[in-house]
Amino acid sequence: MDDGTKQVSLSKNRPKLHFPNLNGIRALAALMVVIAHIELHKGNFNIPRIPHFDVLNLGKIGVTVFFSLSGFLITYLLLEEKKNFGAVNFKAFYMRRLLRIWPLYFLVVLFGFFIYPGGADKALWLSVLFLPNLAFCLNLLPAIMDPIWSIGTEEQFYIFHPHFFRLKKLNHILYALLLFIVFIIAIQVIFGRIANESSAYHILHIFLYYARYDNMMIGAVIAVIYYNTKHPEFDFKFQRLFNVIFKRWFQAILMMIYIIYLGLYINYDIPHGDVLIAFMSSLLIVNLCEAGTSIYSLNHRYLDYIGQISYGIYLLHKFVLFLVLFLVKKYLISLGIFIENILIYTVTTGGTIALASASYYGYEKPFLKIKKRFQKITQ
């Protein structure tokens, strides 16, 4: 049966693609989530938060950056594959995602439901079926493992996103992605207005927010435009406007606006503010991909390493955090807020990096070696 996949030999001489700054983006996004969760879960252990340090929404920003980066990179890689091999190999794509995501995801699910106390049977089955975002919306996930909600969102995105690349023309792919963004936002607005009419509508409204397909699709749209800038296939009407983002003066203005907006978002939790964060983050990602013209760089060995293990940091940090908060509350609460927070932040961050490193090299690496067999583009 023809599934639209062109079978291509995966030789050792694969085309290579290297964006040196992207691991730095992953690193910063992961650390944002860790910092936000440290402050959030102090409340679970009756540990006072740092005064005038309201960073709970920093985690939302980190996740939004992850989503926009994921949509951008997956799209660019699929476009490169299509250019070099004539079509997308869907089987290879899904095997790559399975081997990267599933091993650690299911290990966390196993530990979270069967070893750590808590978690309803319904949440377990929803997590197994890659609907942890629905379980999260229903408040069924144990807090220690609730970061898996976003993994469910990404896996759902991967089910349909590669099939946009069955379209032959690049401009048709762009139009299809833009129409999908409009559709998703329209559905969110509709259910937002009728959310109070029934509990089912309310849950669906929350689920659509946590789906975040629009964040990833924004990254995908920017990837298509950027790809067409480097490998022109159609006449993009706004190409001159897009090219302005590579100017140094525009990068400086964009970064200033980005920082100001993030500050406003952290303090005021702007409704659907993640859409604008995803858009600006995607533009910043494009500039970081063009290291020769970028006025900023995240190409640092420590950031690169943290970015490399960021998946483990994201999924495992709460296990370390909960242990640290428990020990501080039980044995060290009398040390004072300054020493207490130094201990919490340094031990949680260091312990998380250590645990994620052990996971990466001791558990995930064998699966990643198998994943390379299905890689069409060397990253």
Side-chain angles (χ1 to χ4, degrees), residues 3 15 29 84 110 122 134 143 153 194 215 241 251 280 284 289 291 310 333 375:
D3 63 354
N84 285 280
L110 178 68
K122 186 183 291 185
L134 179 56
T153 292
I194 64 175
N215 292 176
L241 181 62
Q251 293 178 50
M280 289 192 288
L284 291 169
C289 289
S310 59
I333 200 66
Q375 238 173 283

Short mmCIF file of all heavy atoms in Angstrom, two decimals, residues 3 15 29 84 110 122 134 143 153 194 215 241 251 280 284 289 291 310 333 375:
data_model
loop_
_atom_site.label_atom_id
_atom_site.label_comp_id
_atom_site.label_asym_id
_atom_site.label_seq_id
_atom_site.Cartn_x
_atom_site.Cartn_y
_atom_site.Cartn_z
N ASP A 3 1.90 4.69 1.01
CA ASP A 3 1.60 5.66 2.05
C ASP A 3 2.24 7.02 1.77
O ASP A 3 2.32 7.88 2.63
CB ASP A 3 2.07 5.15 3.42
CG ASP A 3 3.57 4.97 3.48
OD1 ASP A 3 4.25 5.12 2.46
OD2 ASP A 3 4.08 4.69 4.58
N PRO A 15 23.08 13.92 4.52
CA PRO A 15 23.24 15.38 4.55
C PRO A 15 23.33 15.86 5.99
O PRO A 15 22.70 15.29 6.89
CB PRO A 15 21.95 15.88 3.88
CG PRO A 15 21.45 14.72 3.08
CD PRO A 15 21.85 13.49 3.84
N ALA A 29 15.44 27.32 28.32
CA ALA A 29 14.03 26.98 28.51
C ALA A 29 13.86 25.98 29.65
O ALA A 29 12.95 26.11 30.48
CB ALA A 29 13.46 26.40 27.21
N ASN A 84 16.40 16.66 -0.12
CA ASN A 84 17.50 15.74 -0.42
C ASN A 84 17.06 14.36 -0.89
O ASN A 84 17.78 13.69 -1.62
CB ASN A 84 18.38 15.58 0.83
CG ASN A 84 19.26 16.79 1.08
OD1 ASN A 84 20.30 16.95 0.47
ND2 ASN A 84 18.83 17.66 2.00
N LEU A 110 6.05 5.00 34.73
CA LEU A 110 6.17 3.82 35.59
C LEU A 110 6.48 4.21 37.02
O LEU A 110 5.83 3.75 37.97
CB LEU A 110 7.26 2.88 35.04
CG LEU A 110 7.55 1.63 35.85
CD1 LEU A 110 6.36 0.67 35.80
CD2 LEU A 110 8.80 0.92 35.32
N LYS A 122 -7.31 6.25 35.97
CA LYS A 122 -7.69 6.94 34.74
C LYS A 122 -6.51 7.75 34.20
O LYS A 122 -6.28 7.79 32.98
CB LYS A 122 -8.88 7.87 35.01
CG LYS A 122 -9.44 8.54 33.76
CD LYS A 122 -10.57 9.51 34.10
CE LYS A 122 -11.79 8.76 34.60
NZ LYS A 122 -12.94 9.68 34.81
N LEU A 134 -4.67 15.76 28.81
CA LEU A 134 -6.06 15.66 29.26
C LEU A 134 -6.12 15.31 30.74
O LEU A 134 -6.91 15.90 31.50
CB LEU A 134 -6.81 14.63 28.43
CG LEU A 134 -8.29 14.39 28.81
CD1 LEU A 134 -9.07 15.70 28.76
CD2 LEU A 134 -8.92 13.34 27.90
N ALA A 143 1.62 15.65 41.01
CA ALA A 143 2.40 16.86 40.73
C ALA A 143 3.85 16.55 40.39
O ALA A 143 4.48 17.26 39.60
CB ALA A 143 2.35 17.80 41.94
N THR A 153 1.31 16.54 24.37
CA THR A 153 1.01 17.55 23.36
C THR A 153 1.92 17.41 22.14
O THR A 153 1.46 17.44 21.00
CB THR A 153 1.16 18.96 23.96
OG1 THR A 153 0.13 19.16 24.93
CG2 THR A 153 1.06 20.04 22.91
N ILE A 194 -17.92 29.69 25.20
CA ILE A 194 -19.01 28.83 25.69
C ILE A 194 -18.56 27.94 26.84
O ILE A 194 -19.28 27.04 27.25
CB ILE A 194 -19.58 27.96 24.54
CG1 ILE A 194 -18.50 26.99 24.00
CG2 ILE A 194 -20.13 28.83 23.42
CD1 ILE A 194 -19.03 26.02 22.97
N ASN A 215 1.38 27.16 19.08
CA ASN A 215 2.77 27.54 19.38
C ASN A 215 3.74 26.81 18.45
O ASN A 215 4.67 27.42 17.89
CB ASN A 215 3.13 27.19 20.81
CG ASN A 215 2.40 28.03 21.86
OD1 ASN A 215 2.55 27.81 23.05
ND2 ASN A 215 1.59 28.99 21.43
N LEU A 241 10.45 42.17 4.06
CA LEU A 241 10.14 42.43 5.47
C LEU A 241 10.76 41.37 6.36
O LEU A 241 11.31 41.68 7.42
CB LEU A 241 8.62 42.45 5.65
CG LEU A 241 8.11 42.75 7.07
CD1 LEU A 241 8.56 44.13 7.52
CD2 LEU A 241 6.59 42.63 7.12
N GLN A 251 17.41 43.22 15.43
CA GLN A 251 17.64 42.21 16.47
C GLN A 251 17.68 42.85 17.85
O GLN A 251 17.13 42.31 18.81
CB GLN A 251 18.95 41.47 16.20
CG GLN A 251 18.95 40.61 14.95
CD GLN A 251 20.29 39.95 14.72
OE1 GLN A 251 20.86 39.33 15.62
NE2 GLN A 251 20.83 40.09 13.52
N MET A 280 7.72 35.65 18.70
CA MET A 280 8.99 36.35 18.91
C MET A 280 10.13 35.37 19.15
O MET A 280 11.26 35.57 18.69
CB MET A 280 8.86 37.34 20.06
CG MET A 280 8.01 38.55 19.73
SD MET A 280 8.12 39.90 20.96
CE MET A 280 7.21 39.16 22.32
N LEU A 284 13.69 34.95 17.09
CA LEU A 284 14.99 34.89 17.76
C LEU A 284 15.73 33.61 17.41
O LEU A 284 16.95 33.61 17.24
CB LEU A 284 14.80 35.00 19.27
CG LEU A 284 14.33 36.37 19.78
CD1 LEU A 284 13.93 36.29 21.25
CD2 LEU A 284 15.43 37.42 19.59
N CYS A 289 20.12 30.84 14.44
CA CYS A 289 20.56 29.89 13.40
C CYS A 289 21.58 30.54 12.46
O CYS A 289 22.44 29.86 11.90
CB CYS A 289 19.36 29.39 12.60
SG CYS A 289 18.27 28.28 13.50
N ALA A 291 24.40 32.37 12.75
CA ALA A 291 25.43 32.80 13.70
C ALA A 291 26.28 33.94 13.16
O ALA A 291 26.80 34.76 13.92
CB ALA A 291 26.31 31.61 14.07
N SER A 310 18.50 18.27 28.15
CA SER A 310 17.35 19.06 28.60
C SER A 310 16.07 18.24 28.71
O SER A 310 15.20 18.54 29.55
CB SER A 310 17.12 20.25 27.68
OG SER A 310 16.90 19.83 26.35
N ILE A 333 15.09 24.10 58.04
CA ILE A 333 14.23 25.27 57.94
C ILE A 333 14.70 26.42 58.84
O ILE A 333 14.34 27.58 58.62
CB ILE A 333 12.77 24.88 58.30
CG1 ILE A 333 11.77 25.92 57.76
CG2 ILE A 333 12.60 24.71 59.80
CD1 ILE A 333 11.69 26.01 56.28
N GLN A 375 17.86 8.15 10.96
CA GLN A 375 18.08 9.56 10.72
C GLN A 375 18.36 9.79 9.25
O GLN A 375 19.24 9.14 8.68
CB GLN A 375 19.26 10.06 11.57
CG GLN A 375 18.87 11.20 12.49
CD GLN A 375 19.99 11.56 13.43
OE1 GLN A 375 20.23 10.86 14.41
NE2 GLN A 375 20.69 12.63 13.12
#
